[in-house]
Every structure is written in structure tokens, then in C-alpha cells.
Amino acid sequence: MFFSSNEKHVTVSARHLGLLRLLSVVPAELGRRCIAHIKAVAGMDVAEKRRPLDGRCIYQRENGSSLDLRINTLPTLYGEDVTLRLLDRDNRLLALEELGLLRRDHNQLLSLLNSPSGLMLVTGPTGSGKTTTLYACLSYLNNGERKINTIEDPVEYAVQGIRQSQINPKIEVDFPELLRSVLRQAPDVIMVGEVRDPVTAETAVRAANSGHLVLATLHAPVAAGAIQSMLSLGVHPHFLASSLLGVMAQRLVRTLCPQCKTSFDIADSPHTFDEVKRWMEAEQGKVLYGPVGCDACHMTGYTGRTGVFEVLPISRDLRKLIMAREPIQVVRQKAVADGMVEFRHSALLKVARGETSVEEVFRAVPTEYLGVDD
């Protein structure tokens, strides 16, 4: 949720299925009082309006459940902006089968997770569901036979059987410090919330090379780009090549409302899905579906979100390319030749199955990764 201060009013908005929706516009004075109340409840300095601040509070619902609110303020031209991140600890974690993976990608992911050691990276922009994917992976691994430690910012879901730690920059306890300490706890599996500095990258690779299964997120546009991102953080190509198991890149697209979606006959364009026909079932790809809008979907045409993925297992040939520091294009071409289902094919399959629309795919996935200019 967002409180945005303007010259004469304060807007209140929220993100729904990835898109910002305006909820209300309140007078400036009332908006400032609301912001001051939020800061006070979160234990923040109400008088400090010149610096960004962070706070937290727990909201108890009438049904006994609790909502964890992470709050950040930012000084702007007309006053403070406030962002509230709502973490519902009672939300059910998704299983691997519910992420939206193709059958082939799902099997490859299971193969990576069943490895005794190595590094698996999940990449994508902010808000693309990387943390949800990691929690699904941890739920699969959490069978009581492995010691699992996580390092997160923040801990979004408390999972029984997993040892979870949260960074605290105020006392200089960040990812590198916690990761070094976790390694002394003799874990089998380590989850690192985000690799964003050279020390964390190097330590994660070293842990993977020393017999631990390490899962981590990283910002990279495509699966092959994660390799370049790790190298740019100073990781030695030999150690990265020997430890990396695979990379999964992802985006989120909205799913069409099943009650109001409309179909379009594509008999005049029989070759629309030729590229992905080998992964399709017989009845798929005969029509296109688009959004309409009804009461069930609040007139948006969409009711949920699903993932579009690239799963890149690291083969022996790819390890040689990593050690040679070959560019992203070379690594990507080799991965596709080895059978990787790239973004454009994964997105096309979602459209062919009637899960989403062409417009939504173009909104969520950059055209350069859809092969539009090829």
C-alpha cells in the first residue's frame, strides 16, 4: 500500500496483480495525520521528516491472525511518501506444481533440487515472484532429512523445520556476515535472499563448492544473464563453472478470468503457434483468448498471476563457456540448442493454453526477450 503526498492532497493506492490501483484521495492535512499515525504505531520518529525511515508493526485481526507490516518513509517535494508492505504469515505457501512451470521445466527443477550440492540461482526483476519460488523449493526440500538455513530480508513466512535468519543493517549484520556464520552451523541447504555484493557472491559459490546446496536470488534479465552478473561481482569463472547447477529466470503474467474471457478464432493464421507445437496438446492453439471484465474480476479481465520461466541446467559444454567468459549471447544460444525453453516459447504456450492474453505477455515480458525483432 502507498501513501503519496501531493501539493493539495494525499493519494492512497495499492498494487493489485502487479498493477498500481488508486484507492482514495484524501485532503493533505488528513493524509499527513494518517502518515504520522502509521509512523507512531511502527515506533518511528514522528518528528523526523527529512530522512528515510524504516519501521515495523504487527496488526492483530479479529479472527486472531496477524499481519506483519513493514513500513518505509521517503521525503519528497510535498512531504513524506509511505510504503507499507503487508506480509500475511497465514498465507499458504505455493507448491512447485502451482508455480506455472512447463512439465519439462518442472522435471528439470526437481533434478536440480535433488542435487547434493551446488548453486541454483533464481533471477528476475523486483516483484517477479523470486521469493515465492524459493519458498516452494524449500518446502519441497523440507522433509526432515536436511538441515536448512535461510538468510532473508525480511523473513516473509515462518516455516516450521527451517532455521530462518534476518539481516539487520542497523547493527551491520548483512548478508555476508550472516552467510559466514550460517556456514558454521553445518547446514545441508542454504537459502540466500539476494546476492547483491561481491562478498556474498563469492561466499555463496564457495559454500556450493564445499558440499552445500545453495539457493539464491539475483537480478538478471534472462537465465544466461545471471552468469554474467555473477562474474561481474568478481566470482572466479572456474569456481562458478564448477559450482553452478542451473539458473531459473522468471516473470509474472496475469491469468484471464475464466468467467468472462472471450475467444478469437485464428483459423486464418494457422502458423501462430508453430514454434511451440511440440510442447502443446492436441486441442490447444486453435483459438486466442482475451480479457473482457465482469463482477468476478472487478472488471479487469484477470483474476490471478502465473509464472513465465526459463530453466537453464548447466551442462558440461556450458561450464566450458563459463570458464572461457563467453558473452551472454553465446551461452544463451548453446542453452537453446540444448533444449532450453526460452521466454518467448514459455509465453506462447501460456497464450495457447488460454491462461493469459497476448497483450498481457507484451506488458510483462520485454519484447527483446520475446524475439519480436528477430
Side-chain angles (χ1 to χ4, degrees), residues 45 88 90 122 152 212 232 289:
D45 187 352
D88 191 346
D90 296 323
V122 179
E152 306 174 58
H212 302 85
S232 67
Y289 291 91

Side-chain angles (χ1 to χ4, degrees), residues 46-250:
V46 178
E48 180 57 76
K49 301 179 181 179
R50 300 169 300 173
R51 299 173 183 265
L53 298 175
D54 290 297
R56 177 189 179 190
C57 68
I58 305 295
Y59 174 73
Q60 296 293 337
R61 293 168 168 170
E62 294 181 358
N63 61 5
S65 64
S66 60
L67 198 65
D68 192 348
L69 280 74
R70 305 300 172 99
I71 300 158
N72 173 267
T73 66
L74 179 72
T76 64
L77 180 61
Y78 296 112
E80 288 181 290
D81 282 3
V82 178
T83 297
L84 292 85
R85 187 178 182 188
L86 283 65
L87 305 178
D88 191 346
R89 298 296 175 84
D90 296 323
N91 273 355
R92 183 182 66 86
L93 297 178
L94 295 181
L96 290 177
E97 295 78 14
E98 299 173 292
L99 296 177
L101 287 157
L102 303 176
R103 184 178 303 171
R104 174 192 175 92
D105 289 343
H106 179 263
N107 292 337
Q108 288 180 332
L109 177 58
L110 289 181
S111 177
L112 298 178
L113 293 176
N114 287 319
S115 301
S117 64
L119 174 64
M120 184 186 128
L121 297 172
V122 179
T123 76
T126 301
S128 61
K130 299 188 297 296
T131 302
T132 299
T133 296
L134 281 185
Y135 272 110
C137 294
L138 292 179
S139 296
Y140 172 79
L141 294 169
N142 186 27
N143 59 1
E145 298 176 357
R146 303 176 178 89
K147 186 174 188 293
I148 303 174
N149 281 78
T150 72
I151 305 168
E152 306 174 58
D153 178 27
V155 174
E156 297 193 14
Y157 302 99
V159 183
Q160 189 168 0
I162 296 179
R163 318 311 305 160
Q164 298 173 268
S165 303
Q166 181 171 306
I167 71 168
N168 191 345
K170 292 182 179 179
I171 57 174
E172 298 182 350
V173 178
D174 215 326
F175 283 107
E177 290 74 26
L178 276 178
L179 182 52
R180 284 193 290 263
S181 296
V182 162
L183 287 173
R184 303 188 190 102
Q185 296 289 316
D188 298 299
V189 180
I190 304 171
M191 189 269 268
V192 181
E194 184 179 348
V195 175
R196 58 191 181 197
D197 61 81
V199 176
T200 305
E202 183 181 353
T203 308
V205 169
R206 189 169 67 246
N209 270 313
S210 62
H212 302 85
L213 179 61
V214 181
L215 313 179
T217 71
L218 183 71
H219 287 290
V222 292
I227 297 169
Q228 186 61 45
S229 295
M230 291 293 287
L231 293 175
S232 67
L233 287 173
V235 176
H236 194 283
H238 170 76
F239 295 122
L240 179 62
S242 61
S243 65
L244 189 61
L245 293 172
V247 184
M248 185 162 72
Q250 63 183 75

Side-chain angles (χ1 to χ4, degrees), residues 227-228 231 320-331:
I227 297 169
Q228 186 61 45
L231 293 175
K320 293 178 181 178
L321 295 179
I322 295 172
M323 285 190 281
R325 287 182 174 270
E326 293 290 347
I328 295 176
Q329 294 80 1
V330 175
V331 175

Side-chain angles (χ1 to χ4, degrees), residues 309-321:
F309 299 92
E310 280 186 349
V311 179
L312 170 58
I314 303 301
S315 63
R316 182 176 300 177
D317 290 337
L318 285 173
R319 296 188 195 280
K320 293 178 181 178
L321 295 179

Side-chain angles (χ1 to χ4, degrees), residues 297-317:
C297 60
H298 305 289
M299 304 307 296
T300 64
Y302 300 91
T303 54
R305 289 196 289 178
T306 188
V308 176
F309 299 92
E310 280 186 349
V311 179
L312 170 58
I314 303 301
S315 63
R316 182 176 300 177
D317 290 337

